[in-house]
Amino acid sequence: MASKMVIQQPKPVIMTAGSDQWSTSICECDNVNDCCFSCWCFPCFACITARDHGECLCLPLLDTCGLIPPITLSMRVSMRRHFGITDTICNDCIYAFFCGPCSWCQIRREMKARLYPVTLFNNRAQ
């Protein structure tokens, strides 16, 4: 008689921020892989993050169309509205203009902290 053994891995504990605040600051780096990826291959990182948020994969490539990167700004505003985060458009403009990679990292961290589905690589067979 054969018996089956079922082993379940413990689930990770994720601390979430208050419903009206960002879970991390703009320069916080809790995942070195994401931070390095955003610094060394920023266009790829931004495109993958936009795709995971449900936008077009190539949308961040339009960020070169203005003084303040319009896609980075709109993604920050979209994240704030989606999760009810209290912040100002002025802060979004400053972060988009001066700290593009850090801003995208913060968006990605927020998606992970709020249990939003995030994938860096898709290995599913089509």
Side-chain angles (χ1 to χ4, degrees):
M1 174 159 45
S3 62
K4 289 185 178 179
M5 180 182 283
V6 177
I7 299 174
Q8 291 183 339
Q9 295 293 324
K11 304 242 187 257
V13 177
I14 298 176
M15 301 297 289
T16 59
S19 62
D20 65 342
Q21 298 296 317
W22 289 98
S23 63
T24 59
S25 67
I26 190 75
C27 293
E28 192 170 324
C29 182
D30 63 347
N31 185 342
V32 177
N33 292 337
D34 283 349
C35 292
C36 288
F37 187 25
S38 72
C39 287
W40 295 109
C41 192
F42 175 64
C44 295
F45 182 81
C47 289
I48 290 170
T49 302
R51 182 202 60 203
D52 288 346
H53 185 59
E55 300 297 333
C56 175
L57 176 68
C58 297
L59 189 64
L61 299 177
L62 297 174
D63 259 351
T64 59
C65 296
L67 181 62
I68 296 174
I71 306 307
T72 302
L73 178 63
S74 63
M75 283 292 292
R76 286 189 62 81
V77 171
S78 175
M79 288 296 291
R80 286 195 304 111
R81 287 185 173 222
H82 187 268
F83 294 121
I85 298 170
T86 304
D87 208 346
T88 64
I89 192 74
C90 182
N91 283 344
D92 292 335
C93 288
I94 291 169
Y95 293 146
F97 183 75
F98 290 107
C99 307
C102 293
S103 186
W104 281 95
C105 281
Q106 185 181 35
I107 290 169
R108 186 158 205 78
R109 287 190 306 268
E110 197 64 34
M111 289 168 57
K112 288 179 181 179
R114 306 272 179 151
L115 302 176
Y116 204 72
V118 173
T119 56
L120 276 179
F121 299 102
N122 186 358
N123 292 332
R124 289 183 281 170
Q126 298 282 335

